Amino acid sequence: MKLVKTNKILTVLVLLILVFTLSGISTALELTLEEAIKQGLKKNSDLRNLEENIAGLERDLALIKAGQDWQVKMGADYGYTFEDSNNRIEENRVNLGISRVFSSGLTIEPEITVTENDSNPDLSIALRYPLLPSVPTESAKQYYKIEQELIKAQGKLSQEKAAKIISWLEKYLNLSRLTEKHEVYQQGLELAEDNLNEVLLKQEMGEAGREEVLTAQISLADARYQLDDLEKQIEEVKLSLYQELGLEKEQELVIDDQSKLIAQLSEKAEQLTGQELDESKLMPAVEQNSYELLANRIDREVLKQELEWLKGEGKTELNLSGNYNSKEEEISIGLSLSYNLYDGGQRELKYEEKEVEIANNLAEYNDLYAALELQLKQQINKVELSQSKLQQEELKLEKSVYEEKVGRQQYEMGLIDKNDYEELCLQRKESEINFKSFQDQLLINKIELITFIKSDDILGGF
């Protein structure tokens, strides 16, 4: 008896451990909406490509900087010098070459040479500096251009992140409503099955004809089709959302339309869109927030800088050079001057080309600005129309609630049967879900508007 009791205790302990372990695993694999979005921002392939582009530009800048730092090379050589047919001099040398090119164009090249059988090392220093034209070096120009491309790439990434987050939010809310509808449609199917069974019973008793049976069968087929169609929609939306968020098979996204993140976004959206939406006052913020205008402004600044470099290059080149050699104890300084008398008009053509590019850039900016004005108007209109539609759906919901209330009274008085009353209940539930869907759409439209005006105000947390 004692052994049986011990075995029972062990069995209970094992079962308890398994329950707690499995419960812990299940909880660990569940993800909130905020956690899933953060994972999606890390794993999404489109965003990864943009991040890799940014990392590549940062590496290019680091390479240019490294090239402007001190460069040290060591070399060795072994040679013979023949003075006549009988004598030769054997000579071994080790040299250490150092160089650095500054962004100003100044080049310093010290070199130390140690020769065998010579206790004094030879030091030489070469200096070169371009006095004219007074323009940056090619590496400095390249550094500037890559820096501007990096700013554009970072702006593009921010824009894409905002677009992805809004898209994921919209799909998440859609999935939440479809899940709610699934329960209603399931109840509708059960109601249609009960109705068919009742009609078949009446047929057996001679109280229902073939037409009533066919009507009930059609209603059941419709209910079954609607549920099947809804399940496929849920499957497709869920798969699409999971793929975009990069969720693994063992991870489960918690569907909760009252999540903390959605509540925070709703509160922010209400605060930021609760005031009067004046397009003329909003456009300056839209202009600063727009990636397209940012990219255009950066391109124009680069073009202007290239034009300045062209003007600075001029026709005259004047270079200063200096050398020092410790062995000879000599210092030399020199100037070299060159002047391009005629280049076939190449310089003037280059000026004209840059000026045309700048003019085209400005024209494009004006076109983009006008397009943004239209988009702002459209975004505001979407919010206002969504608000009107929500008011309309609120009236429909109120009507459905009233019809359910009246139906209950009629059912209690025996004026309608149970199936008719339950159908009114399902219609009320579906009206509630539809109302929530339009609330979701209004939230998404508000977030899109705010992101269009100033994305950091609502999505800065990501």
Side-chain angles (χ1 to χ4, degrees), residues 63-81:
L63 281 171
I64 293 174
K65 271 194 170 182
Q68 292 175 346
D69 203 350
W70 290 103
Q71 309 294 311
V72 181
K73 293 182 180 179
M74 179 174 283
D77 59 84
Y78 176 72
Y80 297 99
T81 301

Side-chain angles (χ1 to χ4, degrees), residues 159-210:
Q159 182 193 54
E160 286 298 312
K161 275 186 177 180
K164 293 291 183 188
I165 291 170
I166 293 172
S167 173
W168 296 336
L169 279 173
E170 191 168 12
K171 287 186 178 181
Y172 179 86
L173 290 171
N174 184 28
L175 184 59
S176 174
R177 301 307 165 214
L178 290 174
T179 304
E180 287 182 23
K181 276 189 177 182
H182 186 272
E183 183 181 349
V184 174
Y185 282 24
Q186 183 65 50
Q187 292 175 2
L189 177 63
E190 292 169 3
L191 185 61
E193 287 173 345
D194 292 343
N195 182 55
L196 177 60
N197 291 333
E198 286 182 16
V199 171
L200 289 172
L201 261 173
K202 287 181 180 180
Q203 186 187 40
E204 289 178 7
M205 297 167 62
E207 296 177 3
R210 179 63 178 160

Side-chain angles (χ1 to χ4, degrees), residues 308-436:
E308 289 302 310
W309 291 337
L310 278 172
K311 291 177 179 178
E313 286 173 1
K315 294 184 176 183
T316 305
E317 288 188 15
L318 180 62
N319 295 303
L320 173 67
S321 62
N323 288 281
Y324 168 75
N325 188 289
S326 64
K327 191 172 185 178
E328 304 294 335
E329 294 187 351
E330 288 181 352
I331 298 176
S332 63
I333 298 175
L335 286 172
S336 62
L337 174 67
S338 66
Y339 183 81
N340 192 354
L341 294 173
Y342 181 68
D343 64 357
Q346 293 182 55
R347 286 172 52 76
E348 286 73 15
L349 289 171
K350 288 179 181 178
Y351 292 160
E352 289 178 13
E353 185 180 2
K354 285 294 172 209
E355 287 168 350
V356 167
E357 288 180 17
I358 292 170
N360 289 339
N361 176 279
L362 278 168
E364 183 185 354
Y365 188 89
N366 293 331
D367 291 341
L368 288 170
Y369 188 90
L372 284 176
E373 286 182 314
L374 175 59
Q375 289 176 44
L376 176 60
K377 179 65 176 175
Q378 291 170 336
Q379 293 282 3
I380 292 173
N381 287 343
K382 280 170 69 176
V383 170
E384 291 175 349
L385 287 172
S386 289
Q387 288 172 331
S388 298
K389 187 65 178 175
L390 185 62
Q391 291 171 358
Q392 182 183 348
E393 288 300 315
E394 190 174 13
L395 290 173
K396 289 182 180 180
L397 175 58
E398 188 177 341
K399 179 174 178 287
S400 183
V401 171
Y402 175 75
E403 288 173 347
E404 181 191 19
K405 182 179 178 182
V406 172
R408 181 173 182 82
Q409 293 172 352
Q410 291 175 334
Y411 172 61
E412 289 173 350
M413 294 169 62
L415 298 176
I416 61 174
D417 60 22
K418 184 181 178 182
N419 281 348
D420 290 336
Y421 171 62
E422 288 181 347
E423 191 172 334
L424 288 171
C425 292
L426 291 179
Q427 288 174 2
R428 188 264 307 163
K429 289 179 181 179
E430 191 164 3
S431 292
E432 284 181 347
I433 296 170
N434 290 336
F435 179 73
K436 288 179 183 178

